[in-house]
Amino acid sequence: MAIFVPFLYKGFRHIHTGWFVLVLPLVLFIYLLQFLPIGGPMETLEYTIPWVPSLGINFTIYLDGLSLLFALLITGIGTLVVLYSIYYIANKKDEPLNNFYVYLLMFMGAMLGVVLSDNLIVIYVFWELTSLASSLLIAYWFHKEKSRYGAQKSMLITVTGGFAMLAGFCLLYIMADSFSIREIIAQADVIIQSPLFVPAMLLVLLGAFTKSAQFPFHIWLPDAMEAPTPVSAYLHSATMVKAGIYLVARLTPVFGGAQEWFWLLTGFGLMTLIWGSVSAIRQTDLKAILAFSTISQLGLIMSLLGLGSAAVHYDYADVEMLYATATLAAVFHLINHATFKGSLFMIVGIVDHETGTRDIRRLGGLMTIMPITFTISLIGVASMAGLPPFNGFLSKEMFFTGVLNATTLDIFNVQTFGFLFPVIAWVASVFTFVYCMIMFFRTFTGKYQPEKLEKKAHEAPIGLLISPIVLASLVVIFGLFPNLLAYTIIEPTMQSILPNILDEGERFYVNIYHWHGLNTELFMTAGVVMFGMLVFLNLKRWQEATFFLKERDPLNAIYDNGLDGLIAGSKRVTNVQLTGLLRDYFAYSMVFIILLLGWTIFKYDAFAIDLTNVAPISPYLWIITLVMIATTISIPFINHRVTAIIAVGVIGFLLALLFVVFRAPDLALTQLLVETVMVVLFLLCFYHLPELRKESFKPTFKMTNLVISIGMGAIVTIIALSAHAMRHAEGFDRISRFFEENSASLAGGYNMVNVVLVDFRAIDTLLEVLVLGIAALGIVSLVKLKVKGGQDV
Amino acid sequence: MEILMIILVGVIVSVSTYLLLTKSLLRVVLGIMLLSHAAHLLFITLAGLKEGAPPLLGEEAASYADPLPQALVLTAIVIGFGVTAFLLVLSYQTYKAHKTDDLDKLRGSADE
């Protein structure tokens, strides 16, 4: 579908492209609705397309309660967001709409892929696709510096987490020998015994935490607010950031029973919750407030999933249900958050659209000007703050129940720190309440200040309002009739998250009725409201504290400095190492050769010297050798270039002499000829040297060079000696007997070397001739082609 | 005899390594030449330097020197010659283009 969008865009210029796009999520949503179990147990759907069967990677679609919940959220909110964006990005001429809808559909498809796949590798592929699509959407206005910064940041953070997650998946595969989630869950008992259990868990959680903006990886989310508002509403509140939540919920049956899982999820979740809610108060931008609020709510859901995992640990039905409440609260709040946060983002978009600013210091008094917007935002904000009769109230009550239940846990050392759970949760709720009030009162009440606004504020067109109205009515409906959700979707979802604690044929029986009765949770909520009011009224004093003056999250400094440091560090490393001098690279490779060979010889104790098998030395050989050694050593000390060349020539001629001694007439002949030609060539070269530096051939002495060269010589000597000593150790006879016996009879030649060259191993000779030919051609072209110098020096 | 030759090879390798690490392009080429000499000598040496007749069947001797390494070294000499000749002409053209022999001055590119 995404492929066709540009064609539709080009083909039908006069119709907004979004209308064509709208059909797809709507149809999907309706299609998915029919899977809702109304009255009966959840039917699961399974469909497999082989992808890489040899590796066990198949494109398996598996639909159960959890997948269905997410898929409904994705398609449902997707439909509303597309509808909203049709009116939001109304200016057809200026905006590249085709890009927008291509990315959006790509994201939607990827997200559906994440939640519907049963295969870990397929999940990973779609996971990265969501990261990619999200970055593209954040940088939609790519001419803006901040958009690009935000996109890069979110990409770096989520992809880092994605890689960690891939590693975790691979560890899971090693443990369970399958990429299928259901098969892995079936082997949960085996996996928990494995030593790879904790590393796999940490890596997978790293992926989930980065994606779901948990502390301290939440910093990308506020910067992702540079995206168009429909994108923020869709990706950064309702869907993508919940991918991590989905993953955690999905893998709870695998990791759930473990103490580390419980503490990591609960700890990081609560930390995120309080950090996000406190940070939200400092913001002056509506979208930034919402971003931090999203972070904090995600932390809430994450911690609830952690608390709920304790249920896996118990065997008694009653106790299980007590802790499973936390899971119930997580699922319920997940739905609620998607509804009210989506509507709030859309509201902010409307305010921005109609007034030209999102800054709460410039807004105010919009209540009478934008009554519908005002009503919707009242519902959303009240639900977010956790006030009755909206759905946020119910999930917040359940959240308190969850944390209170957790204090009664007698496992995982909860007794020691368990009392912190409700305290943190309560404090965070107070802050949540405060930023909700800020958002609401600073925007809609107070004095209307038209002189600060770029546009004349007025009510939004009805098209923009449809989607938030739908979402807000859902907030109210779920608030008043929560059991509508309970039977249809929450029960099967809980069954997916906690499959092990149910007996055969049993179902979760969820009934959200806790909303009357004077219990601790209600008093906690009352306290939240009271203290929230107090804090809000004294906000002026609070905001003078230094912590609140900083608009940006202090953790951004770590990220920014880290990134800069990384770049500077790699530059420094590169500058030290890549000098551009040929000598240095020679030196690197030689040092490496010396070290590697030396280490190998030392390690295997390979040095050997064999003096028995050597031929006797005749006196004239001594003379030749000594002369050669002397000449060789003298070469580096020769200042005059001609002398150096002649010295090398001397060595070549002496080598020819050695060949004579070693009974190799052909070699001697060739060596003589080649050496002669070479010296001539060298002298030719020398003749053309630059005039100025003709005789100035001062070799500079360097200690390191000396050490390297001596080491090189020594290592070659040692290896040669050892090889010589080992030569007869294995009892291999030389194959030259064959040449001796058959040269005459098979090839009809008496010079064995020549017979080998042209008859037995003639291909070598052929290619050697080819080498000479290439060298000759190369030389000719070098001489003929005029080289233009001076450009790269 | 082999031990002595091996030591000789070691010395030549040391010196050629030293030459490779110097600044002058000409000396680098000299180093390469020396290194190929060392390699050839090592090749012959490790095949065994026992006395014997040259590998000519007409000699009617009891034992011959090994013909195979000789054939291989012959190939290597010719290839080394080709490569060195090319290198020499290349460095000659480098002089002509850049008027310098100093590798330090030949480093780098404009966009570094």
Side-chain angles (χ1 to χ4, degrees):
Chain A
M1 179 74 186
I3 299 169
F4 297 117
V5 167
F7 299 111
L8 292 171
Y9 176 67
K10 299 278 183 219
F12 304 90
R13 293 299 300 224
H14 54 288
I15 310 174
H16 197 287
T17 320
W19 290 114
F20 300 108
V21 177
L22 185 62
V23 181
L24 180 75
L26 192 63
V27 168
L28 279 174
F29 183 70
I30 294 166
Y31 173 74
L32 285 167
L33 272 182
Q34 66 172 344
F35 290 102
L36 277 180
I38 299 172
M42 171 81 195
E43 295 170 40
T44 56
L45 178 88
E46 201 183 334
Y47 185 67
T48 304
I49 305 165
W51 186 23
V52 193
S54 55
L55 291 176
I57 300 173
N58 294 316
F59 192 95
T60 304
I61 289 177
Y62 178 71
L63 190 70
D64 63 354
L66 184 63
S67 311
L68 183 63
L69 167 66
F70 273 89
L72 282 175
L73 279 180
I74 292 163
T75 50
I77 296 185
T79 313
L80 295 173
V81 161
V82 170
L83 182 66
Y84 176 78
S85 68
I86 291 173
Y87 289 94
Y88 187 79
I89 311 183
N91 198 341
K92 278 186 280 184
K93 297 254 164 49
D94 296 350
E95 302 289 348
L97 280 176
N98 50 346
N99 293 351
F100 182 78
Y101 287 110
V102 169
Y103 300 155
L104 198 69
L105 281 181
M106 181 172 136
F107 172 79
M108 198 181 291
M111 198 67 212
L112 282 174
V114 168
V115 299
L116 291 178
S117 326
D118 178 53
N119 194 292
L120 288 177
I121 295 298
V122 178
I123 287 189
Y124 172 72
V125 169
F126 283 120
W127 185 279
E128 292 298 355
L129 261 181
T130 62
S131 294
L132 183 66
S134 157
S135 279
L136 288 170
L137 282 168
I138 294 169
Y140 176 62
W141 289 306
F142 52 82
H143 46 83
K144 284 203 293 188
E145 165 75 35
K146 283 182 89 178
S147 298
R148 294 200 302 270
Y149 172 78
Q152 187 205 29
K153 193 175 187 177
S154 79
M155 190 77 178
L156 282 176
I157 293 178
T158 53
V159 168
T160 308
F163 274 133
M165 193 182 76
L166 180 63
F169 284 172
C170 291
L171 290 182
L172 275 179
Y173 177 70
I174 292 169
M175 287 186 279
D177 199 30
S178 167
F179 278 124
S180 162
I181 291 177
R182 274 167 301 148
E183 285 172 36
I184 289 173
I185 290 173
Q187 298 187 46
D189 297 339
V190 185
I191 290 172
I192 205 162
Q193 307 284 332
S194 164
L196 293 175
F197 176 76
V198 174
M201 181 167 84
L202 287 177
L203 288 168
V204 169
L205 273 187
L206 191 61
F209 281 175
T210 48
K211 197 77 163 183
S212 282
Q214 298 295 298
F215 187 86
F217 309 111
H218 63 270
I219 49 173
W220 66 267
L221 190 61
D223 283 315
M225 289 302 132
E226 291 302 319
T229 305
V231 173
S232 306
Y234 189 39
L235 274 71
H236 308 125
S237 68
T239 51
M240 183 174 107
V241 289
K242 300 219 167 101
I245 304 268
Y246 169 77
L247 191 73
V248 166
R250 182 49 92 195
L251 293 177
T252 297
V254 182
F255 296 117
Q259 182 174 355
E260 295 89 350
W261 180 261
F262 174 85
W263 276 110
L264 280 172
L265 281 184
T266 315
F268 276 92
L270 286 176
M271 185 67 208
T272 314
L273 168 64
I274 191 141
W275 187 270
S277 60
V278 171
S279 302
I281 294 176
R282 310 188 309 220
Q283 308 301 318
T284 53
D285 182 7
L286 283 175
K287 268 178 110 173
I289 298 179
L290 282 178
F292 278 106
S293 136
T294 305
I295 290 168
S296 112
Q297 307 274 327
L298 288 170
L300 189 156
I301 299 173
M302 200 62 101
S303 65
L304 280 173
L305 282 174
L307 293 171
S309 74
V312 182
H313 214 76
Y314 282 98
D315 285 334
Y316 328 107
D318 297 342
V319 189
E320 275 168 6
M321 286 308 159
L322 194 62
Y323 300 119
T325 314
T327 310
L328 166 67
V331 176
F332 190 47
H333 193 72
L334 182 78
I335 304 169
N336 295 343
H337 178 249
T339 54
F340 67 70
K341 193 53 65 72
S343 75
L344 282 174
F345 265 110
M346 291 174 183
I347 290 298
V348 169
I350 291 172
V351 169
D352 188 14
H353 210 262
E354 303 308 330
T355 62
T357 184
R358 297 194 310 249
D359 194 328
I360 51 170
R361 289 167 298 196
R362 290 160 68 188
L363 291 167
L366 294 179
M367 183 163 34
T368 47
I369 299 165
M370 305 168 78
I372 305 175
T373 318
F374 161 74
T375 318
I376 298 166
S377 79
L378 175 66
I379 295 170
V381 162
S383 171
M384 184 156 79
L387 294 178
F390 304 107
N391 56 7
F393 170 69
L394 299 172
S395 46
K396 185 135 297 181
E397 294 285 280
M398 275 190 264
F399 170 51
F400 286 146
T401 317
V403 289
L404 286 173
N405 285 344
T407 53
T408 64
L409 278 175
D410 52 1
I411 48 165
F412 306 152
N413 299 320
V414 175
Q415 300 95 317
T416 331
F417 298 109
F419 71 93
L420 281 174
F421 296 160
V423 174
I424 294 176
W426 186 81
V427 173
S429 298
V430 171
F431 280 107
T432 307
F433 190 80
V434 172
Y435 71 69
C436 288
M437 287 181 70
I438 293 179
M439 259 193 82
F440 182 70
F441 287 110
R442 293 285 151 85
T443 312
F444 292 103
T445 62
K447 239 178 87 186
Y448 177 53
Q449 298 156 304
E451 71 282 357
K452 286 189 184 174
L453 299 178
E454 287 159 25
K455 299 177 185 175
K456 198 171 145 40
H458 56 83
E459 188 56 272
I462 185 68
L464 267 180
L465 287 169
I466 296 174
S467 305
I469 287 174
V470 172
L471 285 174
S473 39
L474 283 178
V475 170
V476 178
I477 292 170
F478 293 158
L480 294 178
F481 309 103
N483 287 329
L484 271 183
L485 284 174
Y487 306 120
T488 49
I489 188 71
I490 294 180
E491 286 175 10
T493 306
M494 289 192 55
Q495 210 161 346
S496 311
I497 300 176
L498 303 168
N500 300 330
I501 67 169
L502 286 179
D503 296 331
E504 198 66 35
E506 197 186 351
R507 289 185 67 203
F508 280 101
Y509 181 69
V510 175
N511 198 352
I512 307 170
Y513 60 90
H514 286 295
W515 45 326
H516 17 249
L518 282 176
N519 46 15
T520 328
E521 294 88 339
L522 195 65
F523 288 121
M524 279 172 83
T525 305
V528 165
V529 174
M530 266 160 48
F531 273 88
M533 293 282 196
L534 274 177
V535 172
F536 179 68
L537 292 177
N538 296 320
L539 205 60
K540 275 268 163 346
R541 213 173 304 149
W542 281 63
Q543 274 173 333
E544 282 159 16
T546 42
F547 181 72
F548 292 100
L549 286 177
K550 285 184 187 160
E551 200 168 307
R552 280 171 64 76
D553 200 302
L555 286 169
N556 278 315
I558 298 175
Y559 167 83
D560 289 337
N561 292 336
L563 202 61
D564 292 348
L566 201 64
I567 293 169
S570 8
K571 263 188 190 152
R572 215 170 301 138
V573 168
T574 316
N575 284 343
V576 167
Q577 174 200 355
L578 299 179
T579 52
L581 293 179
L582 188 62
R583 283 184 293 153
D584 291 343
Y585 304 142
F586 265 137
Y588 296 150
S589 41
M590 279 164 183
V591 167
F592 182 72
I593 290 171
I594 292 169
L595 290 179
L596 185 68
L597 292 179
W599 180 80
T600 313
I601 287 174
F602 180 74
K603 172 96 190 292
Y604 295 101
D605 201 16
F607 180 69
I609 186 160
D610 180 14
L611 293 171
T612 57
N613 229 331
V614 290
I617 308 171
S618 41
Y620 58 88
L621 198 63
W622 273 113
I623 299 170
I624 298 174
T625 315
L626 288 179
V627 171
M628 272 180 93
I629 291 180
T631 321
T632 315
I633 291 175
S634 73
I635 291 176
F637 298 102
I638 297 173
N639 284 354
H640 199 282
R641 232 181 320 223
V642 181
T643 326
I645 292 166
I646 288 171
V648 173
V650 166
I651 291 169
F653 289 124
L654 286 174
L655 189 65
L657 201 58
L658 277 181
F659 287 149
V660 173
V661 175
F662 300 149
R663 306 285 191 279
D666 302 295
L667 282 188
L669 199 63
T670 322
Q671 180 66 33
L672 270 177
L673 281 173
V674 163
E675 201 55 40
T676 315
V677 176
M678 209 66 98
V679 170
V680 170
L681 264 175
F682 250 115
L683 289 175
L684 195 75
C685 232
F686 161 73
Y687 179 75
H688 285 281
L689 275 189
E691 294 292 319
L692 272 177
R693 305 166 40 85
K694 202 159 211 170
E695 297 303 321
S696 60
F697 196 75
K698 267 258 182 275
T700 45
F701 178 76
K702 267 194 170 175
M703 198 59 202
T704 43
N705 289 357
L706 186 68
V707 171
I708 290 173
S709 40
I710 287 176
M712 198 71 190
I715 216 84
V716 169
T717 314
I718 288 168
I719 289 174
L721 282 174
S722 310
H724 176 67
M726 304 285 179
R727 194 158 61 102
H728 299 285
E730 299 292 329
F732 283 119
D733 200 8
R734 48 188 203 160
I735 57 167
S736 296
R737 301 256 178 265
F738 173 82
F739 298 127
E740 284 169 19
E741 283 158 14
N742 293 313
S743 283
S745 55
L746 286 181
Y750 292 92
N751 185 336
M752 281 189 275
V753 174
N754 289 6
V755 167
V756 170
L757 279 175
V758 299
D759 194 309
F760 289 120
R761 301 180 54 88
I763 291 184
D764 291 358
T765 314
L766 178 71
L767 295 178
E768 164 200 338
V769 171
L770 189 67
V771 168
L772 271 190
I774 292 172
L777 280 176
I779 290 169
V780 168
S781 45
L782 266 180
V783 174
K784 288 278 177 193
L785 295 174
K786 286 291 167 204
V787 184
K788 289 265 192 299
Q791 286 169 359
D792 55 344
V793 172
Chain B
M1 193 150 65
E2 281 91 343
I3 307 289
L4 185 66
M5 287 303 121
I6 286 170
I7 291 167
L8 176 61
V9 165
V11 171
I12 301 181
V13 167
S14 284
V15 171
S16 60
T17 310
Y18 188 82
L19 290 177
L20 283 180
L21 293 172
T22 50
K23 280 205 291 193
S24 161
L25 191 56
L26 189 75
R27 291 190 139 215
V28 171
V29 181
L30 283 179
I32 292 171
M33 280 180 76
L34 276 181
L35 199 59
S36 66
H37 285 159
H40 302 156
L41 185 56
L42 187 62
F43 223 104
I44 293 287
T45 306
L46 284 183
L49 292 176
K50 290 232 174 54
E51 297 290 322
L56 302 170
L57 287 174
E59 297 275 315
E60 298 288 339
S63 71
Y64 298 99
D66 198 334
L68 185 61
Q70 293 192 14
L72 294 180
V73 170
L74 195 59
T75 313
I77 289 176
V78 176
I79 291 176
F81 166 67
V83 172
T84 318
F86 182 79
L87 273 179
L88 275 174
V89 178
L90 188 64
S91 49
Y92 161 67
Q93 288 288 16
T94 317
Y95 299 148
K96 269 175 75 177
H98 299 302
K99 305 286 179 226
T100 178
D101 178 38
D102 195 336
L103 278 175
D104 284 4
K105 292 187 181 163
L106 283 171
R107 77 173 278 274
S109 54
D111 59 344
E112 196 180 10

